Amino acid sequence: MAASISKSERLAEIIKIMRRHQFLSNFYHQTNPKEVLAAFQELGPTFIKMGQLISTRPDLVSPAYIKALSKLQDQVPADSYETVCQVIKNNTGHTPDELFKSFDHQPFASASVGQCHYATLKDGTKVVVKVQHPAVDQLIKADLALFHRAVKLMKYVPGKLTVVDFNQVLAELSASLLSEVNTMQEAVWGQEFYQHNNGDGIIQVPKVYLDQCHPQILVNQAMPGKSIKYLVNQPAPTDKQAAQQWQAERKTVAETLVQNFIKQVFVDHFFHADPHPGNILFYRVTKPQLATKKDVQRQFGDLTVHFSSQESLPPYRLVYLDFGMMGRLSSAMADGIAKIILAIASRDEYAAAQAVLNVCNRTGEVDEQGFTRDFGRFIQPYLKTHLADIDMGQLIFSMTQLCQGHHLQLRPEVTLLFKAFGSLEMTVAKLDPQISMMSVARPFANQWFKEHYNLKESLANHAHEGYSALVAGAQIPKKANRLLDQVLNGQGRVNLHYVGQRKVLDKANRMLNRLLIVIMLASLIMSSSILVVGSSAHPVIYKLGVAGWVLAIVITAILLIKNAYDSWHRRH
């Protein structure tokens, strides 16, 4: 995996492949996804990984690109056992035989970043050891640096960027890729996710052995099970009773995934950002069903009472894997997203639009009324639609475009959350096609409302607002009389403001500037003509007049060219 090619040769190779597939133009305009897919495959492991990351970002690229790039597969040959031993020894000072009771020489999986081996700790615990390929972090950093240089070629691509901010894509994906090769960061995230979610009903999370982890080595508890695709693709039984049990099981799994994800986002504020089927395992329990405790807290005046109950678990488990891409929300951001769900659940399009405004960065002047109107039209068709009938990639991409059209930019943590929900939604919809957005949102909205609604505080606020309204109402006759006196005395003044006022004023200002330039050019041409006609006997004055003519012609030509370019730019 060590890079033996020089940076200049590698850059030449990148540019050659990009030119052959017209990579920059195609990606820039979101056209010909098959050509871009082929370019990623030829460019090697770093770019394959970047393509895979792009395929998980429906907020950044079009649905056609999501579909094409999701086919990218790592095709990295496994390192030899001798190479693995050297990496482990460089990190720990010991060989695998010295660290583990047993260590499989052959990996069971190999990807662009590293490969995984089954092993056993000295105490007999079964673990999975992920070993990075040698120098993979240096190779990725080098390729990213070269990719940044290649992006500068974007300025030679004609047209205006209307679909995707290429610099934003590269910046965010670079951060994601570099965090993925940071093994210790993944270990810390895995441990935190374990503490929050392991044992949450049928959810299980592998334990991270931090004392065994190193910059290029990750050691996790080995977990049983197959990809949840096994359950998704399992055909329905022909027997009626078995078919009902099969359907009930799939429904329970779907609801568990949704409920646990909601907990991750709105309780833990720390969520798995890449919950695709390969990162979720399913297996059946052969031992008797276990039980779990549920602690419930109730407040009765100044008295707090705790109840605990036992809940039997079904005979199967779900296991989360791979914690290289995680998301974190602030409490304020989580509340903002909760308000969006609450508004959608109550079919309040105006409140939903206002809540979306609060989770966006503003990149320019925003017409809030226009956005509210457009958002209402956008969200209305989805309110009663089943998840299985929603193209989540198209939904997220369209919503991002709607925001961009109103000078709004979804914050990175929000787009990461949407991406995670989109990945999970595809699995959930296949398990239970009858789940709708409303059925998912309404129970959560009710629970959030109960937890955040304080009756005493609300009554106090309403009482204060009522008193303020009463006082203000008593002053209306006095204020109306004062206003009439000012109007009759000619002291009244009305300030008007309309949507798009700044654009109109800017356009008027440009028109006035052009008119001023035209007047100045006309004056220059007229004065130059007078100097030329009346100074044939004075060469210096004659040349001055000719210079004025030439200057006027040059300025006129520049203005005509700029006007033609602006017209072409607007059409494209």
Side-chain angles (χ1 to χ4, degrees):
M1 291 293 298
S4 59
I5 189 172
S6 68
K7 284 190 175 182
S8 59
E9 290 174 336
R10 178 60 174 161
L11 179 60
E13 181 184 12
I14 291 173
I15 294 176
K16 180 181 178 181
I17 294 174
M18 286 184 169
R19 288 181 61 185
R20 182 163 64 249
H21 295 284
Q22 297 183 336
F23 179 90
L24 295 177
S25 178
N26 284 326
F27 194 94
Y28 192 79
H29 298 294
Q30 295 289 278
T31 55
N32 299 322
K34 291 183 179 179
E35 286 294 321
V36 174
L37 174 64
F40 273 121
Q41 290 173 331
E42 286 190 46
L43 285 167
T46 304
F47 291 87
I48 288 175
K49 198 66 186 176
M50 180 168 286
Q52 290 174 333
L53 290 171
I54 291 174
S55 72
T56 67
R57 295 300 304 271
D59 59 300
L60 298 179
V61 292
S62 67
Y65 266 62
I66 295 292
K67 183 178 180 180
L69 296 180
S70 63
K71 300 176 182 178
L72 275 172
Q73 299 292 329
D74 291 342
Q75 298 178 349
V76 179
D79 295 323
S80 65
Y81 179 66
E82 290 73 19
T83 302
V84 171
C85 288
Q86 189 60 49
V87 172
I88 293 177
K89 190 167 184 179
N90 290 342
N91 281 262
T92 67
H94 299 281
T95 65
D97 292 338
E98 294 171 344
L99 293 172
F100 303 97
K101 185 176 181 180
S102 67
F103 188 94
D104 287 0
H105 289 203
Q106 293 297 324
F108 66 88
S110 179
S112 56
V113 174
Q115 59 192 54
C116 296
H117 296 254
Y118 286 119
T120 307
L121 297 180
K122 293 293 186 180
D123 62 2
T125 303
K126 301 292 184 181
V127 295
V128 171
V129 182
K130 180 179 178 181
V131 183
Q132 275 193 16
H133 298 301
V136 67
D137 55 338
Q138 291 92 335
L139 181 59
I140 287 177
K141 290 175 183 177
D143 269 358
L144 287 176
L146 294 175
F147 202 13
H148 276 283
R149 292 172 61 183
V151 167
K152 294 180 181 179
L153 297 174
M154 294 296 293
K155 63 182 179 181
Y156 299 112
V157 180
K160 183 179 179 182
L161 182 62
T162 57
V163 178
V164 60
D165 185 340
F166 201 47
N167 290 311
Q168 178 197 2
V169 172
L170 183 57
E172 293 192 23
L173 295 180
S174 296
S176 297
L177 191 54
L178 291 174
S179 68
E180 186 162 343
V181 298
N182 186 347
T183 299
M184 294 308 298
Q185 179 64 75
E186 182 178 350
V188 171
W189 281 343
Q191 184 183 47
E192 183 176 355
F193 193 80
Y194 173 87
Q195 294 170 347
H196 286 311
N197 296 282
N198 188 54
D200 179 28
I202 62 173
I203 301 293
Q204 291 187 343
V205 181
K207 182 179 179 181
V208 181
Y209 296 92
L210 276 176
D211 56 337
Q212 302 283 343
C213 296
H214 297 272
Q216 291 182 292
I217 302 172
L218 178 67
V219 182
N220 284 333
Q221 176 187 3
M223 303 297 291
K226 298 180 181 179
S227 167
I228 199 170
K229 287 189 291 187
Y230 159 77
L231 180 64
V232 170
N233 298 328
Q234 191 178 54
T238 55
D239 179 71
K240 184 177 180 181
Q241 184 175 359
Q244 291 177 345
Q245 183 179 354
W246 173 85
Q247 185 175 4
E249 179 179 274
R250 292 163 66 93
K251 182 178 180 64
T252 300
V253 171
E255 291 177 348
T256 298
L257 287 172
V258 172
Q259 291 167 2
N260 178 259
F261 186 74
I262 288 175
K263 170 190 163 296
Q264 292 177 36
V265 174
F266 297 105
V267 178
D268 306 333
H269 300 165
F270 182 70
F271 60 92
H272 198 300
D274 193 19
H276 64 76
N279 285 338
I280 303 175
L281 303 182
F282 174 86
Y283 74 95
R284 299 189 183 279
V285 178
T286 56
K287 295 181 180 179
Q289 294 184 2
L290 303 176
T292 185
K293 287 187 177 182
K294 276 193 171 181
D295 292 325
V296 182
Q297 179 176 310
R298 290 289 182 267
Q299 191 78 24
F300 300 97
D302 296 330
L303 179 64
T304 302
V305 180
H306 292 270
F307 302 93
S308 64
S309 61
Q310 296 286 328
E311 180 186 60
S312 296
L313 296 178
Y316 45 81
R317 301 290 181 269
L318 295 172
V319 181
Y320 271 103
L321 300 176
D322 193 352
F323 310 106
M325 189 184 299
M326 307 297 292
R328 194 182 298 276
L329 300 173
S330 66
S331 297
M333 181 59 68
D335 283 348
I337 296 170
K339 290 176 181 177
I340 297 176
I341 298 176
L342 184 65
I344 292 176
S346 59
R347 304 180 190 277
D348 190 338
E349 298 169 5
Y350 175 81
Q354 294 303 304
V356 171
L357 285 171
N358 291 332
V359 299
C360 290
N361 293 321
R362 303 193 177 202
T363 59
E365 185 178 7
V366 177
D367 176 8
E368 294 192 8
Q369 292 182 347
F371 175 77
T372 301
R373 180 182 61 253
D374 292 344
F375 182 83
R377 294 172 182 169
F378 166 79
I379 200 64
Q380 186 63 41
Y382 295 102
L383 294 181
K384 294 183 179 180
T385 307
H386 291 150
L387 282 178
D389 300 327
I390 297 175
D391 184 343
M392 189 58 66
Q394 183 64 56
L395 168 62
I396 298 172
F397 187 74
S398 299
M399 184 174 177
T400 303
Q401 296 303 296
L402 173 64
C403 290
Q404 289 179 353
H406 287 272
H407 303 132
L408 295 167
Q409 184 182 62
L410 289 170
R411 294 176 185 171
E413 60 267 37
V414 178
T415 58
L416 193 62
L417 174 62
F418 284 172
K419 170 259 162 189
F421 179 74
S423 297
L424 191 67
E425 174 271 337
M426 290 187 290
T427 302
V428 169
K430 291 176 181 177
L431 289 169
D432 184 9
Q434 299 305 312
I435 292 183
S436 68
M437 289 185 69
M438 295 301 295
S439 66
V440 173
R442 189 172 288 110
F444 163 75
N446 293 336
Q447 182 64 28
W448 187 90
F449 181 78
K450 291 177 182 177
E451 293 176 356
H452 289 74
Y453 183 77
N454 187 308
L455 180 60
K456 291 183 179 179
E457 184 178 344
S458 178
L459 291 175
N461 289 336
H462 286 311
H464 177 73
E465 291 173 359
Y467 175 75
S468 300
L470 185 63
V471 172
Q475 295 178 350
I476 289 178
K478 181 179 180 180
K479 291 182 177 180
N481 184 58
R482 185 185 304 166
L483 175 63
L484 290 174
D485 288 342
Q486 289 177 344
V487 171
L488 292 175
N489 293 331
Q491 298 175 347
R493 184 173 61 182
V494 178
N495 294 323
L496 295 177
H497 175 77
Y498 57 90
V499 175
Q501 173 178 296
R502 181 176 297 178
K503 291 182 179 179
V504 174
L505 293 178
D506 288 343
K507 185 174 289 187
N509 187 48
R510 288 196 298 270
M511 291 177 62
L512 289 175
N513 288 337
R514 289 184 179 180
L515 180 61
L516 180 61
I517 292 174
V518 169
I519 294 174
M520 293 176 64
L521 284 174
S523 301
L524 179 62
I525 293 172
M526 184 176 295
S527 59
S528 298
S529 300
I530 294 174
L531 290 176
V532 169
V533 173
S535 60
S536 57
H538 299 81
V540 175
I541 298 178
Y542 178 82
K543 292 180 180 179
L544 184 62
V546 172
W549 266 356
V550 172
L551 179 62
I553 292 172
V554 170
I555 295 176
T556 302
I558 292 174
L559 289 176
L560 290 174
I561 293 173
K562 186 178 185 304
N563 185 64
Y565 175 78
D566 289 343
S567 299
W568 178 86
H569 206 271
R570 285 193 295 270
R571 289 197 301 270
H572 295 78

